[in-house]
mmCIF file of all heavy atoms in Angstrom:
data_model
loop_
_atom_site.group_PDB
_atom_site.id
_atom_site.type_symbol
_atom_site.label_atom_id
_atom_site.label_comp_id
_atom_site.label_asym_id
_atom_site.label_seq_id
_atom_site.Cartn_x
_atom_site.Cartn_y
_atom_site.Cartn_z
ATOM 1 N N THR A 364 6.172 21.806 5.113
ATOM 2 C CA THR A 364 6.977 22.993 5.411
ATOM 3 C C THR A 364 8.436 22.827 5.003
ATOM 4 O O THR A 364 9.157 23.805 4.851
ATOM 5 C CB THR A 364 6.909 23.319 6.914
ATOM 6 O OG1 THR A 364 7.296 22.165 7.666
ATOM 7 C CG2 THR A 364 5.498 23.730 7.305
ATOM 8 N N ASP A 365 8.884 21.566 4.815
ATOM 9 C CA ASP A 365 10.280 21.308 4.444
ATOM 10 C C ASP A 365 10.497 21.285 2.940
ATOM 11 O O ASP A 365 11.643 21.360 2.484
ATOM 12 C CB ASP A 365 10.745 19.967 5.020
ATOM 13 C CG ASP A 365 10.674 19.925 6.533
ATOM 14 O OD1 ASP A 365 10.929 20.973 7.158
ATOM 15 O OD2 ASP A 365 10.364 18.850 7.090
ATOM 16 N N ILE A 366 9.431 21.179 2.158
ATOM 17 C CA ILE A 366 9.595 20.971 0.718
ATOM 18 C C ILE A 366 8.955 22.065 -0.127
ATOM 19 O O ILE A 366 9.057 22.036 -1.348
ATOM 20 C CB ILE A 366 8.998 19.603 0.296
ATOM 21 C CG1 ILE A 366 7.511 19.555 0.635
ATOM 22 C CG2 ILE A 366 9.740 18.459 0.961
ATOM 23 C CD1 ILE A 366 6.808 18.308 0.135
ATOM 24 N N THR A 367 8.293 23.034 0.509
ATOM 25 C CA THR A 367 7.633 24.095 -0.250
ATOM 26 C C THR A 367 8.134 25.463 0.209
ATOM 27 O O THR A 367 8.700 25.609 1.299
ATOM 28 C CB THR A 367 6.097 24.042 -0.077
ATOM 29 O OG1 THR A 367 5.780 24.097 1.326
ATOM 30 C CG2 THR A 367 5.533 22.758 -0.663
ATOM 31 N N SER A 368 7.891 26.465 -0.628
ATOM 32 C CA SER A 368 8.330 27.823 -0.315
ATOM 33 C C SER A 368 7.402 28.466 0.716
ATOM 34 O O SER A 368 6.281 27.996 0.956
ATOM 35 C CB SER A 368 8.332 28.673 -1.583
ATOM 36 O OG SER A 368 7.017 28.815 -2.090
ATOM 37 N N LYS A 369 7.864 29.548 1.302
ATOM 38 C CA LYS A 369 7.062 30.268 2.286
ATOM 39 C C LYS A 369 5.777 30.792 1.655
ATOM 40 O O LYS A 369 4.699 30.746 2.254
ATOM 41 C CB LYS A 369 7.883 31.437 2.851
ATOM 42 C CG LYS A 369 7.275 32.105 4.066
ATOM 43 C CD LYS A 369 7.354 31.222 5.289
ATOM 44 C CE LYS A 369 6.858 31.967 6.530
ATOM 45 N NZ LYS A 369 6.854 31.103 7.732
ATOM 46 N N GLU A 370 5.882 31.269 0.421
ATOM 47 C CA GLU A 370 4.702 31.782 -0.280
ATOM 48 C C GLU A 370 3.666 30.685 -0.489
ATOM 49 O O GLU A 370 2.463 30.895 -0.276
ATOM 50 C CB GLU A 370 5.122 32.366 -1.638
ATOM 51 C CG GLU A 370 3.949 32.918 -2.435
ATOM 52 C CD GLU A 370 4.342 33.262 -3.869
ATOM 53 O OE1 GLU A 370 5.380 32.767 -4.339
ATOM 54 O OE2 GLU A 370 3.584 34.008 -4.529
ATOM 55 N N HIS A 371 4.146 29.514 -0.885
ATOM 56 C CA HIS A 371 3.235 28.387 -1.104
ATOM 57 C C HIS A 371 2.504 28.037 0.191
ATOM 58 O O HIS A 371 1.277 27.808 0.186
ATOM 59 C CB HIS A 371 4.027 27.190 -1.626
ATOM 60 C CG HIS A 371 3.182 26.027 -2.049
ATOM 61 N ND1 HIS A 371 3.669 24.972 -2.793
ATOM 62 C CD2 HIS A 371 1.876 25.722 -1.825
ATOM 63 C CE1 HIS A 371 2.707 24.101 -3.021
ATOM 64 N NE2 HIS A 371 1.611 24.537 -2.422
ATOM 65 N N GLN A 372 3.216 28.000 1.289
ATOM 66 C CA GLN A 372 2.610 27.648 2.575
ATOM 67 C C GLN A 372 1.557 28.674 2.983
ATOM 68 O O GLN A 372 0.487 28.319 3.492
ATOM 69 C CB GLN A 372 3.694 27.545 3.646
ATOM 70 C CG GLN A 372 4.686 26.416 3.403
ATOM 71 C CD GLN A 372 5.928 26.534 4.254
ATOM 72 O OE1 GLN A 372 5.884 27.032 5.381
ATOM 73 N NE2 GLN A 372 7.062 26.086 3.739
ATOM 74 N N GLU A 373 1.835 29.948 2.762
ATOM 75 C CA GLU A 373 0.872 30.999 3.111
ATOM 76 C C GLU A 373 -0.390 30.896 2.258
ATOM 77 O O GLU A 373 -1.514 31.072 2.764
ATOM 78 C CB GLU A 373 1.518 32.373 2.950
ATOM 79 C CG GLU A 373 2.618 32.657 3.983
ATOM 80 C CD GLU A 373 3.335 33.961 3.722
ATOM 81 O OE1 GLU A 373 3.073 34.579 2.657
ATOM 82 O OE2 GLU A 373 4.158 34.369 4.568
ATOM 83 N N LEU A 374 -0.230 30.594 0.974
ATOM 84 C CA LEU A 374 -1.396 30.441 0.100
ATOM 85 C C LEU A 374 -2.244 29.251 0.542
ATOM 86 O O LEU A 374 -3.481 29.338 0.590
ATOM 87 C CB LEU A 374 -0.935 30.243 -1.349
ATOM 88 C CG LEU A 374 -0.227 31.427 -2.022
ATOM 89 C CD1 LEU A 374 0.324 31.020 -3.388
ATOM 90 C CD2 LEU A 374 -1.188 32.607 -2.176
ATOM 91 N N ALA A 375 -1.593 28.134 0.861
ATOM 92 C CA ALA A 375 -2.320 26.936 1.298
ATOM 93 C C ALA A 375 -3.043 27.182 2.617
ATOM 94 O O ALA A 375 -4.192 26.751 2.795
ATOM 95 C CB ALA A 375 -1.348 25.762 1.432
ATOM 96 N N ASN A 376 -2.390 27.872 3.554
ATOM 97 C CA ASN A 376 -3.022 28.156 4.846
ATOM 98 C C ASN A 376 -4.239 29.055 4.679
ATOM 99 O O ASN A 376 -5.256 28.867 5.360
ATOM 100 C CB ASN A 376 -2.010 28.813 5.793
ATOM 101 C CG ASN A 376 -0.951 27.841 6.273
ATOM 102 O OD1 ASN A 376 -1.157 26.628 6.283
ATOM 103 N ND2 ASN A 376 0.206 28.360 6.679
ATOM 104 N N LYS A 377 -4.160 30.012 3.776
ATOM 105 C CA LYS A 377 -5.290 30.906 3.525
ATOM 106 C C LYS A 377 -6.459 30.118 2.925
ATOM 107 O O LYS A 377 -7.626 30.309 3.315
ATOM 108 C CB LYS A 377 -4.861 32.032 2.567
ATOM 109 C CG LYS A 377 -5.947 33.055 2.258
ATOM 110 C CD LYS A 377 -6.299 33.888 3.474
ATOM 111 C CE LYS A 377 -7.386 34.912 3.155
ATOM 112 N NZ LYS A 377 -6.911 35.963 2.211
ATOM 113 N N PHE A 378 -6.151 29.213 2.009
ATOM 114 C CA PHE A 378 -7.185 28.375 1.397
ATOM 115 C C PHE A 378 -7.867 27.519 2.467
ATOM 116 O O PHE A 378 -9.100 27.437 2.532
ATOM 117 C CB PHE A 378 -6.541 27.492 0.327
ATOM 118 C CG PHE A 378 -7.522 26.720 -0.519
ATOM 119 C CD1 PHE A 378 -7.813 27.123 -1.805
ATOM 120 C CD2 PHE A 378 -8.138 25.571 -0.019
ATOM 121 C CE1 PHE A 378 -8.708 26.405 -2.591
ATOM 122 C CE2 PHE A 378 -9.031 24.847 -0.787
ATOM 123 C CZ PHE A 378 -9.318 25.261 -2.079
#
Side-chain angles (χ1 to χ4, degrees):
T364 55
D365 300 325
I366 60 174
T367 56
S368 64
K369 191 71 175 177
E370 180 190 18
H371 187 166
Q372 295 166 32
E373 291 174 353
L374 294 173
N376 289 337
K377 182 68 180 293
F378 188 104

